[in-house]
Amino acid sequence: MRVVRNDRSCGYNGLQGYSVRNYLREVGIEKMAELFERLYPFARRIDDIEGDRQEEKITDDEYDVLVERINFQMDEMEAAADVESFDEMYSLLLKYAVKHGFGEAAGTGDAEEGDERR
């Protein structure tokens, strides 16, 4: 759910995160789900601006100015959200997978030699 931006910073992918918010709640990652709901309108706006750039309705420089403001707002929201750490999130996901019979797919079983599962 993380994305590396053009400036090499890292942030949450608001559109993808929003699409899995109900699953996050089911697993117990409520704060992350709430964050994605708050980020969604901003992520949609960035997606719209990207569409305008691809259709050449705006220049790359205009795109950068518009998106930079939105990214700044999103970064502030992320910092204030007090979301679960990624270690905690992965632990909750693994517990959920094991509880629901997906332990082998989650990589909790013994991998055979040459097995690519993680």
Side-chain angles (χ1 to χ4, degrees):
M1 293 180 299
R2 299 280 286 178
V3 63
V4 178
R5 298 183 184 121
N6 290 341
D7 65 359
R8 297 187 182 161
S9 66
C10 194
Y12 297 109
N13 185 319
L15 296 177
Q16 289 179 353
Y18 183 81
S19 69
V20 297
R21 71 193 182 287
N22 292 329
Y23 300 110
L24 292 171
R25 284 193 172 93
E26 186 176 339
V27 172
I29 309 173
E30 181 67 31
K31 287 181 184 179
M32 188 71 77
E34 290 173 0
L35 174 61
F36 283 125
E37 286 177 342
R38 289 191 306 273
L39 292 176
Y40 182 73
F42 296 94
R44 287 287 314 144
R45 181 65 185 129
I46 289 173
D47 194 50
D48 291 342
I49 294 169
E50 175 62 31
D52 288 345
R53 177 171 71 166
Q54 289 179 9
E55 294 174 9
E56 298 181 355
K57 293 179 180 177
I58 61 173
T59 66
D60 288 344
D61 290 339
E62 291 170 317
Y63 169 87
D64 291 340
V65 169
L66 293 169
V67 169
E68 183 179 353
R69 286 186 221 147
I70 296 169
N71 280 334
F72 181 74
Q73 288 177 297
M74 292 173 76
D75 288 344
E76 286 183 333
M77 292 169 69
E78 290 172 19
D82 188 35
V83 295
E84 293 85 355
S85 73
F86 280 100
D87 289 340
E88 180 182 1
M89 183 173 64
Y90 291 133
S91 174
L92 288 167
L93 290 170
L94 181 59
K95 286 178 187 176
Y96 180 85
V98 170
K99 179 180 175 183
H100 294 280
F102 300 109
E104 187 176 322
T108 61
D110 293 331
E112 296 178 18
E113 187 175 333
D115 193 348
E116 296 296 320
R117 286 179 286 157
R118 296 175 193 246

Coordinates of all heavy atoms in Angstrom, one line a residue, residues 37-107:
E37 N -9.7 6.5 4.1 CA -10.9 7.2 3.8 C -10.7 8.7 3.7 O -11.3 9.4 2.9 CB -12.0 6.8 4.8 CG -12.5 5.4 4.6 CD -13.5 5.0 5.6 OE1 -13.6 5.6 6.7 OE2 -14.2 4.0 5.3
R38 N -9.9 9.2 4.6 CA -9.6 10.6 4.6 C -8.7 11.0 3.4 O -8.8 12.1 2.8 CB -8.9 11.1 5.9 CG -9.9 11.1 7.1 CD -9.4 11.7 8.3 NE -8.1 11.2 8.7 CZ -7.9 10.2 9.5 NH1 -8.9 9.5 10.0 NH2 -6.7 9.8 9.9
L39 N -7.8 10.1 3.0 CA -6.9 10.4 1.9 C -7.5 10.3 0.5 O -7.1 10.9 -0.5 CB -5.7 9.5 1.9 CG -4.7 9.7 3.1 CD1 -3.6 8.6 3.0 CD2 -4.1 11.0 3.1
Y40 N -8.6 9.5 0.4 CA -9.2 9.2 -0.8 C -9.6 10.4 -1.7 O -9.2 10.4 -2.9 CB -10.5 8.3 -0.6 CG -11.1 7.9 -1.9 CD1 -10.5 6.9 -2.7 CD2 -12.3 8.5 -2.3 CE1 -11.1 6.5 -3.9 CE2 -12.9 8.1 -3.5 CZ -12.3 7.1 -4.3 OH -12.9 6.8 -5.5
P41 N -10.2 11.4 -1.2 CA -10.5 12.6 -2.1 C -9.3 13.2 -2.7 O -9.3 13.7 -3.8 CB -11.3 13.5 -1.2 CG -11.8 12.7 0.0 CD -10.8 11.6 0.1
F42 N -8.2 13.2 -1.9 CA -7.0 13.8 -2.3 C -6.4 13.0 -3.4 O -5.8 13.4 -4.4 CB -6.0 14.0 -1.2 CG -6.5 15.0 -0.2 CD1 -7.2 14.6 1.0 CD2 -6.3 16.4 -0.3 CE1 -7.7 15.5 1.9 CE2 -6.7 17.3 0.6 CZ -7.4 16.8 1.7
A43 N -6.4 11.7 -3.2 CA -5.8 10.7 -4.2 C -6.6 10.8 -5.5 O -6.0 10.7 -6.6 CB -5.8 9.3 -3.6
R44 N -7.9 10.9 -5.4 CA -8.8 11.1 -6.6 C -8.4 12.3 -7.3 O -8.3 12.4 -8.6 CB -10.3 11.1 -6.3 CG -10.8 9.8 -5.8 CD -11.0 8.8 -7.0 NE -11.7 9.4 -8.1 CZ -11.3 9.0 -9.4 NH1 -10.5 8.1 -9.6 NH2 -12.0 9.6 -10.4
R45 N -8.2 13.4 -6.6 CA -7.8 14.7 -7.2 C -6.5 14.5 -8.0 O -6.3 15.0 -9.1 CB -7.7 15.8 -6.2 CG -7.4 17.1 -6.7 CD -8.4 17.7 -7.7 NE -8.0 18.9 -8.2 CZ -8.0 19.2 -9.5 NH1 -8.5 18.3 -10.4 NH2 -7.5 20.3 -10.0
I46 N -5.5 13.9 -7.3 CA -4.2 13.6 -8.0 C -4.4 12.8 -9.3 O -3.8 13.1 -10.3 CB -3.2 13.0 -7.1 CG1 -2.8 14.0 -6.0 CG2 -2.0 12.4 -7.8 CD1 -1.9 13.4 -4.9
D47 N -5.3 11.8 -9.2 CA -5.5 11.0 -10.4 C -6.2 11.8 -11.5 O -5.8 11.7 -12.7 CB -6.5 9.8 -10.0 CG -6.5 8.8 -11.0 OD1 -5.5 8.3 -11.5 OD2 -7.7 8.4 -11.4
D48 N -7.1 12.7 -11.1 CA -7.7 13.6 -12.1 C -6.6 14.5 -12.8 O -6.6 14.8 -14.0 CB -8.8 14.5 -11.5 CG -10.0 13.6 -11.1 OD1 -10.1 12.5 -11.6 OD2 -10.8 14.1 -10.3
I49 N -5.7 15.1 -11.9 CA -4.7 15.9 -12.4 C -3.7 15.2 -13.4 O -3.3 15.7 -14.4 CB -3.9 16.6 -11.3 CG1 -4.8 17.5 -10.5 CG2 -2.7 17.3 -11.8 CD1 -4.3 18.0 -9.2
E50 N -3.4 13.9 -13.0 CA -2.6 13.1 -13.8 C -3.3 12.9 -15.2 O -2.6 12.9 -16.3 CB -2.3 11.7 -13.2 CG -1.6 10.7 -14.0 CD -0.2 11.2 -14.5 OE1 0.5 11.9 -13.7 OE2 0.3 10.8 -15.6
G51 N -4.6 12.7 -15.2 CA -5.3 12.5 -16.4 C -5.2 13.8 -17.3 O -5.1 13.7 -18.5
D52 N -5.3 14.9 -16.7 CA -5.2 16.2 -17.4 C -3.8 16.3 -18.0 O -3.7 16.8 -19.1 CB -5.5 17.4 -16.5 CG -6.9 17.5 -16.1 OD1 -7.8 16.9 -16.8 OD2 -7.2 18.3 -15.2
R53 N -2.8 15.9 -17.3 CA -1.4 16.0 -17.8 C -1.3 15.0 -19.0 O -0.7 15.4 -20.0 CB -0.4 15.6 -16.7 CG 1.0 15.6 -17.3 CD 2.0 15.5 -16.3 NE 2.1 14.2 -15.7 CZ 3.1 13.7 -14.9 NH1 4.1 14.5 -14.7 NH2 3.1 12.5 -14.4
Q54 N -1.8 13.8 -18.9 CA -1.7 12.9 -20.0 C -2.5 13.3 -21.2 O -2.1 13.0 -22.3 CB -2.2 11.5 -19.5 CG -1.3 10.8 -18.6 CD -1.7 9.5 -18.1 OE1 -2.7 8.9 -18.6 NE2 -1.1 8.9 -17.1
E55 N -3.6 14.0 -21.0 CA -4.3 14.6 -22.1 C -3.8 15.9 -22.6 O -4.4 16.6 -23.5 CB -5.8 14.7 -21.7 CG -6.5 13.4 -21.5 CD -7.9 13.6 -20.9 OE1 -8.4 14.7 -20.9 OE2 -8.5 12.6 -20.5
E56 N -2.7 16.3 -22.0 CA -2.0 17.6 -22.3 C -2.8 18.8 -22.1 O -2.7 19.8 -22.8 CB -1.4 17.5 -23.7 CG -0.4 16.4 -23.9 CD 0.2 16.3 -25.3 OE1 -0.2 17.1 -26.2 OE2 1.1 15.5 -25.5
K57 N -3.7 18.7 -21.1 CA -4.5 19.9 -20.8 C -3.7 20.8 -19.8 O -4.0 22.0 -19.7 CB -5.8 19.5 -20.0 CG -6.8 18.7 -20.9 CD -8.0 18.3 -20.1 CE -9.0 17.6 -21.0 NZ -10.2 17.1 -20.3
I58 N -2.7 20.2 -19.2 CA -1.8 21.0 -18.3 C -0.4 20.5 -18.6 O -0.2 19.4 -19.1 CB -2.1 20.8 -16.8 CG1 -2.0 19.4 -16.4 CG2 -3.5 21.4 -16.5 CD1 -2.1 19.2 -14.9
T59 N 0.6 21.4 -18.3 CA 2.0 21.0 -18.5 C 2.5 20.2 -17.4 O 1.9 20.2 -16.3 CB 2.8 22.3 -18.7 OG1 2.8 23.0 -17.4 CG2 2.3 23.2 -19.8
D60 N 3.7 19.7 -17.5 CA 4.3 18.9 -16.4 C 4.6 19.9 -15.3 O 4.5 19.5 -14.1 CB 5.6 18.3 -16.9 CG 5.4 17.1 -17.8 OD1 4.3 16.6 -17.9 OD2 6.4 16.7 -18.5
D61 N 5.0 21.1 -15.5 CA 5.3 22.1 -14.5 C 4.0 22.4 -13.7 O 4.0 22.5 -12.5 CB 5.9 23.4 -15.0 CG 7.3 23.2 -15.5 OD1 8.0 22.2 -15.1 OD2 7.8 24.0 -16.3
E62 N 2.9 22.6 -14.4 CA 1.6 22.8 -13.7 C 1.2 21.6 -12.9 O 0.7 21.8 -11.8 CB 0.5 23.1 -14.8 CG 0.7 24.5 -15.5 CD -0.3 24.6 -16.6 OE1 -0.5 23.7 -17.4 OE2 -0.8 25.7 -16.7
Y63 N 1.4 20.4 -13.4 CA 1.1 19.2 -12.7 C 1.9 19.2 -11.4 O 1.4 18.9 -10.3 CB 1.5 18.0 -13.5 CG 1.5 16.7 -12.8 CD1 0.3 16.0 -12.6 CD2 2.6 16.2 -12.2 CE1 0.3 14.8 -12.0 CE2 2.6 15.0 -11.5 CZ 1.4 14.3 -11.4 OH 1.4 13.1 -10.7
D64 N 3.2 19.4 -11.5 CA 4.1 19.4 -10.3 C 3.6 20.4 -9.2 O 3.5 20.0 -8.0 CB 5.5 19.7 -10.6 CG 6.2 18.6 -11.5 OD1 5.7 17.5 -11.5 OD2 7.2 19.0 -12.1
V65 N 3.2 21.6 -9.6 CA 2.7 22.6 -8.6 C 1.4 22.1 -8.0 O 1.3 22.2 -6.7 CB 2.5 24.0 -9.3 CG1 1.8 24.9 -8.4 CG2 3.9 24.5 -9.7
L66 N 0.5 21.6 -8.8 CA -0.8 21.2 -8.2 C -0.6 20.0 -7.3 O -1.2 19.9 -6.2 CB -1.8 20.9 -9.4 CG -2.2 22.0 -10.2 CD1 -2.9 21.5 -11.5 CD2 -3.1 23.0 -9.4
V67 N 0.1 19.0 -7.7 CA 0.3 17.8 -7.0 C 1.1 18.0 -5.7 O 0.8 17.4 -4.7 CB 0.8 16.7 -7.9 CG1 1.2 15.4 -7.1 CG2 -0.2 16.3 -8.9
E68 N 2.1 18.9 -5.8 CA 2.9 19.1 -4.6 C 2.1 19.6 -3.5 O 2.3 19.2 -2.3 CB 4.0 20.1 -5.0 CG 5.0 20.4 -3.8 CD 6.0 21.4 -4.2 OE1 6.2 21.8 -5.3 OE2 6.8 21.8 -3.3
R69 N 1.1 20.5 -3.7 CA 0.3 21.0 -2.6 C -0.6 19.9 -2.0 O -0.7 19.8 -0.8 CB -0.7 22.1 -3.2 CG 0.0 23.4 -3.5 CD -1.0 24.4 -3.9 NE -0.4 25.2 -5.0 CZ -1.1 25.7 -6.0 NH1 -2.4 25.6 -6.0 NH2 -0.5 26.4 -6.9
I70 N -1.1 19.1 -2.9 CA -1.9 18.0 -2.4 C -1.1 17.0 -1.6 O -1.5 16.5 -0.5 CB -2.7 17.3 -3.6 CG1 -3.6 18.3 -4.2 CG2 -3.4 16.0 -3.1 CD1 -4.2 17.8 -5.5
N71 N 0.1 16.6 -2.1 CA 0.9 15.7 -1.4 C 1.3 16.2 -0.1 O 1.4 15.5 0.9 CB 2.2 15.4 -2.2 CG 2.0 14.4 -3.3 OD1 1.1 13.5 -3.2 ND2 2.8 14.4 -4.3
F72 N 1.6 17.5 0.0 CA 1.9 18.1 1.3 C 0.7 17.9 2.3 O 1.0 17.6 3.5 CB 2.2 19.6 1.1 CG 2.6 20.3 2.4 CD1 3.9 20.1 3.0 CD2 1.7 21.2 3.0 CE1 4.2 20.7 4.2 CE2 2.1 21.8 4.2 CZ 3.3 21.6 4.8
Q73 N -0.5 18.2 1.9 CA -1.6 18.0 2.7 C -1.8 16.5 3.1 O -2.1 16.3 4.3 CB -2.9 18.4 2.0 CG -3.1 19.9 1.8 CD -4.3 20.2 1.0 OE1 -4.5 19.8 -0.1 NE2 -5.3 20.9 1.7
M74 N -1.6 15.6 2.2 CA -1.7 14.2 2.5 C -0.6 13.8 3.5 O -0.8 13.0 4.4 CB -1.6 13.4 1.2 CG -2.8 13.6 0.4 SD -2.7 12.8 -1.2 CE -3.0 11.0 -0.8
D75 N 0.6 14.3 3.3 CA 1.7 14.0 4.3 C 1.4 14.5 5.7 O 1.7 13.8 6.7 CB 3.0 14.6 3.8 CG 3.6 14.0 2.6 OD1 3.2 12.8 2.2 OD2 4.5 14.6 2.0
E76 N 0.8 15.6 5.8 CA 0.4 16.2 7.1 C -0.7 15.3 7.7 O -0.6 15.0 8.9 CB -0.1 17.6 7.0 CG 1.0 18.6 6.8 CD 0.4 20.0 6.7 OE1 -0.8 20.2 6.4 OE2 1.2 21.0 7.1
M77 N -1.6 14.8 6.9 CA -2.7 13.9 7.4 C -2.1 12.6 7.9 O -2.5 12.1 8.9 CB -3.7 13.7 6.3 CG -4.5 14.9 6.0 SD -5.5 14.7 4.5 CE -6.7 13.5 5.1
E78 N -1.1 12.1 7.1 CA -0.5 10.8 7.5 C 0.2 10.9 8.8 O 0.1 10.1 9.7 CB 0.5 10.4 6.4 CG -0.2 9.9 5.2 CD 0.9 9.7 4.0 OE1 2.1 9.5 4.3 OE2 0.4 9.7 2.9
A79 N 1.0 12.1 9.0 CA 1.7 12.3 10.2 C 0.8 12.4 11.4 O 1.1 11.9 12.5 CB 2.6 13.5 10.1
A80 N -0.3 13.0 11.2 CA -1.3 13.3 12.4 C -2.1 12.1 12.6 O -2.8 12.0 13.7 CB -2.1 14.5 12.0
A81 N -2.1 11.1 11.8 CA -3.1 10.0 11.9 C -2.7 9.0 13.0 O -3.6 8.2 13.4 CB -3.2 9.3 10.5
D82 N -1.5 8.9 13.4 CA -1.1 7.9 14.4 C -1.5 6.5 14.0 O -2.1 5.8 14.8 CB -1.6 8.3 15.7 CG -1.1 7.4 16.9 OD1 0.1 7.1 16.8 OD2 -1.8 7.1 17.8
V83 N -1.2 6.2 12.7 CA -1.6 4.8 12.2 C -0.6 3.8 12.8 O 0.5 4.1 13.3 CB -1.6 4.8 10.7 CG1 -2.6 5.7 10.1 CG2 -0.2 5.1 10.1
E84 N -1.1 2.5 12.7 CA -0.3 1.4 13.2 C 1.0 1.3 12.5 O 1.1 1.7 11.3 CB -1.1 0.1 13.0 CG -2.3 0.0 13.8 CD -3.6 0.6 13.1 OE1 -3.4 1.3 12.1 OE2 -4.6 0.5 13.7
S85 N 2.0 0.8 13.2 CA 3.3 0.6 12.5 C 3.1 -0.5 11.5 O 2.2 -1.3 11.6 CB 4.4 0.3 13.6 OG 4.2 -1.1 14.0
F86 N 4.0 -0.5 10.5 CA 4.0 -1.6 9.5 C 4.2 -2.9 10.2 O 3.6 -3.9 9.8 CB 4.9 -1.3 8.4 CG 4.3 -0.3 7.4 CD1 4.7 1.0 7.5 CD2 3.4 -0.7 6.5 CE1 4.2 1.9 6.6 CE2 2.8 0.2 5.6 CZ 3.2 1.5 5.7
D87 N 5.1 -3.0 11.2 CA 5.3 -4.3 11.9 C 4.0 -4.8 12.5 O 3.6 -6.0 12.4 CB 6.4 -4.2 12.9 CG 7.8 -4.0 12.4 OD1 8.0 -4.3 11.2 OD2 8.6 -3.5 13.1
E88 N 3.3 -3.9 13.1 CA 2.0 -4.3 13.8 C 1.0 -4.7 12.7 O 0.3 -5.7 12.8 CB 1.4 -3.1 14.6 CG 0.1 -3.4 15.2 CD -0.5 -2.2 16.0 OE1 0.1 -1.2 16.0 OE2 -1.6 -2.4 16.6
M89 N 1.0 -3.9 11.6 CA 0.0 -4.2 10.5 C 0.3 -5.6 9.9 O -0.6 -6.4 9.7 CB 0.1 -3.2 9.4 CG -0.9 -3.4 8.3 SD -0.9 -2.0 7.1 CE 0.7 -2.1 6.4
Y90 N 1.6 -5.9 9.6 CA 1.9 -7.2 9.1 C 1.6 -8.3 10.0 O 1.1 -9.4 9.6 CB 3.3 -7.2 8.6 CG 3.6 -6.4 7.4 CD1 4.7 -5.5 7.4 CD2 2.8 -6.4 6.3 CE1 4.9 -4.7 6.3 CE2 3.0 -5.5 5.2 CZ 4.1 -4.7 5.2 OH 4.3 -3.9 4.1
S91 N 1.8 -8.1 11.3 CA 1.5 -9.1 12.3 C 0.0 -9.4 12.4 O -0.4 -10.5 12.4 CB 2.0 -8.6 13.7 OG 1.6 -9.5 14.7
L92 N -0.8 -8.3 12.3 CA -2.3 -8.5 12.3 C -2.7 -9.3 11.0 O -3.6 -10.1 11.1 CB -3.0 -7.2 12.4 CG -2.9 -6.5 13.7 CD1 -3.4 -5.0 13.6 CD2 -3.8 -7.2 14.8
L93 N -2.1 -8.9 9.9 CA -2.5 -9.6 8.7 C -2.1 -11.1 8.7 O -2.9 -11.9 8.3 CB -1.8 -8.9 7.5 CG -2.3 -7.6 7.1 CD1 -1.4 -6.9 6.1 CD2 -3.7 -7.6 6.6
L94 N -0.9 -11.4 9.3 CA -0.5 -12.8 9.4 C -1.4 -13.5 10.3 O -1.8 -14.7 10.0 CB 1.0 -12.8 9.9 CG 1.5 -14.2 10.0 CD1 1.5 -15.0 8.7 CD2 3.0 -14.1 10.5
K95 N -1.8 -13.0 11.5 CA -2.7 -13.6 12.4 C -4.0 -13.9 11.7 O -4.6 -15.0 11.9 CB -2.9 -12.8 13.6 CG -1.7 -12.8 14.6 CD -2.0 -11.9 15.7 CE -0.7 -11.7 16.6 NZ -0.9 -10.8 17.7
Y96 N -4.5 -13.0 10.9 CA -5.8 -13.1 10.2 C -5.7 -14.3 9.2 O -6.5 -15.1 9.1 CB -6.2 -11.8 9.5 CG -7.5 -11.9 8.8 CD1 -8.7 -11.8 9.4 CD2 -7.5 -12.2 7.4 CE1 -9.9 -11.8 8.7 CE2 -8.7 -12.3 6.7 CZ -9.8 -12.1 7.4 OH -11.0 -12.2 6.7
A97 N -4.6 -14.3 8.5 CA -4.4 -15.3 7.4 C -4.3 -16.7 8.1 O -4.9 -17.6 7.6 CB -3.1 -15.1 6.7
V98 N -3.6 -16.8 9.2 CA -3.5 -18.1 9.8 C -4.9 -18.6 10.4 O -5.3 -19.7 10.2 CB -2.4 -18.1 11.0 CG1 -2.5 -19.3 11.8 CG2 -1.0 -17.9 10.4
K99 N -5.6 -17.6 11.0 CA -6.9 -17.9 11.6 C -7.9 -18.4 10.6 O -8.7 -19.2 10.8 CB -7.4 -16.6 12.3 CG -8.8 -16.8 12.9 CD -9.3 -15.5 13.5 CE -10.7 -15.6 14.0 NZ -11.2 -14.3 14.6
H100 N -7.8 -17.9 9.3 CA -8.7 -18.2 8.3 C -8.2 -19.3 7.3 O -8.7 -19.4 6.2 CB -9.2 -17.0 7.6 CG -10.0 -16.1 8.5 ND1 -11.3 -16.3 8.7 CD2 -9.6 -15.0 9.2 CE1 -11.8 -15.4 9.6 NE2 -10.8 -14.6 9.9
G101 N -7.1 -20.0 7.7 CA -6.6 -21.1 6.9 C -5.7 -20.7 5.7 O -5.5 -21.5 4.8
F102 N -5.2 -19.5 5.8 CA -4.3 -19.1 4.7 C -2.8 -19.1 5.2 O -2.0 -18.4 4.6 CB -4.7 -17.7 4.2 CG -6.0 -17.6 3.6 CD1 -7.0 -16.9 4.3 CD2 -6.3 -18.2 2.4 CE1 -8.3 -16.9 3.8 CE2 -7.6 -18.2 1.9 CZ -8.6 -17.5 2.6
G103 N -2.5 -19.8 6.2 CA -1.2 -19.8 6.8 C -0.1 -20.2 5.8 O 0.9 -19.6 5.7
E104 N -0.4 -21.2 5.0 CA 0.6 -21.7 4.1 C 0.9 -20.6 3.0 O 2.0 -20.4 2.7 CB 0.1 -23.0 3.4 CG 1.2 -23.6 2.5 CD 0.8 -24.9 1.9 OE1 0.1 -25.7 2.7 OE2 1.1 -25.2 0.8
A105 N -0.2 -20.0 2.5 CA 0.0 -19.0 1.5 C 0.7 -17.7 2.1 O 1.4 -17.0 1.4 CB -1.4 -18.6 0.9
A106 N 0.5 -17.5 3.4 CA 1.1 -16.4 4.1 C 2.6 -16.6 4.4 O 3.3 -15.7 4.9 CB 0.3 -16.0 5.3
G107 N 3.0 -17.9 4.1 CA 4.4 -18.1 4.3 C 4.8 -18.6 5.7 O 5.9 -18.6 6.1

